[in-house]
């Protein structure tokens, strides 16, 4: 579902469009708050499954996708693989509640830019991930 799209870019800067994908409404809500509070970033939509994520990327072309690893149906790893195959310039970040060591090894080979724990997710991590894997703001 599309997110609020009413914020204007700061000082003429281009905002980074973010798609938030998680089957848990609580985490989607928390991620929306983090993205909404971070200058230079804008949530363009949220989705609750891997299939919805693939479709939303095709329609909305976000620059950044925050993608839960474990979801019913198509998981985040398969969704990341499909997104990267058709939209290679999209930055996909896999997010998991599990310790990184417990995540399937295919998470490291699906094309995602990073794999992070939900417990570590916040404004600083999002900024740092974009600084390393994304295009410059502005």
């Amino acid at each position: 579902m599309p997110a609020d799209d009413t914020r204007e870019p700061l000082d003429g800067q281009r905002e980074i469009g973010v798609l938030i994908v998680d089957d848990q409404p609580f985490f989607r809500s928390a991620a929306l708050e983090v993205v909404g509070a971070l200058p230079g970033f804008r949530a363009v939509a949220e989705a609750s499954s891997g299939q919805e994520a693939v479709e939303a990327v095709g329609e909305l072309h976000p620059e950044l996708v925050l993608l839960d690893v474990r979801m019913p149906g198509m998981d985040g790893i398969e969704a990341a693989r499909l997104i990267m195959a058709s939209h290679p310039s999209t930055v996909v970040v896999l997010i998991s509640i599990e310790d990184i060591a417990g995540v399937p090894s295919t998470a490291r080979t699906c094309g995602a830019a990073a794999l992070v724990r939900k417990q570590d997710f916040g404004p600083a991590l999002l900024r740092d991930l974009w600084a390393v894997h994304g295009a410059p703001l502005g």
Side-chain angles (χ1 to χ4, degrees):
M1 79 172 74
D4 179 12
D5 197 24
T6 59
R7 258 183 25 176
E8 291 295 319
L10 297 174
D11 301 325
Q13 284 187 332
R14 171 180 71 88
E15 287 188 312
I16 304 308
V18 181
L19 171 64
I20 299 164
V21 187
D22 198 292
D23 60 323
Q24 299 295 316
F26 177 79
F27 183 78
R28 287 196 316 267
S29 177
L32 280 168
E33 286 186 32
V34 168
V35 171
L38 192 57
F41 293 82
R42 176 179 53 89
V44 296
E46 58 182 284
S48 60
S49 72
Q51 185 62 44
E52 287 179 13
V54 172
E55 292 169 7
V57 169
E59 293 171 15
L60 302 171
H61 306 284
E63 289 89 355
L64 176 62
V65 178
L66 303 175
L67 187 57
D68 187 21
V69 170
R70 301 225 190 246
M71 294 181 286
M74 182 189 299
D75 67 12
I77 296 168
E78 181 61 21
R81 187 175 290 115
L82 293 171
I83 290 167
M84 295 311 299
S86 57
H87 302 278
S89 64
T90 302
V91 176
V92 175
V93 175
L94 290 173
I95 301 176
S96 180
I97 193 77
E98 300 174 66
D99 284 330
I100 300 304
V103 174
S105 62
T106 53
R108 292 161 188 79
T109 60
C110 68
L115 171 61
V116 299
R117 294 177 341 131
K118 288 181 180 181
Q119 301 90 312
D120 299 330
F121 181 75
L125 178 66
L126 189 56
R127 261 193 320 270
D128 291 348
L129 286 167
W130 188 257
V132 171
H133 301 287
L137 288 173

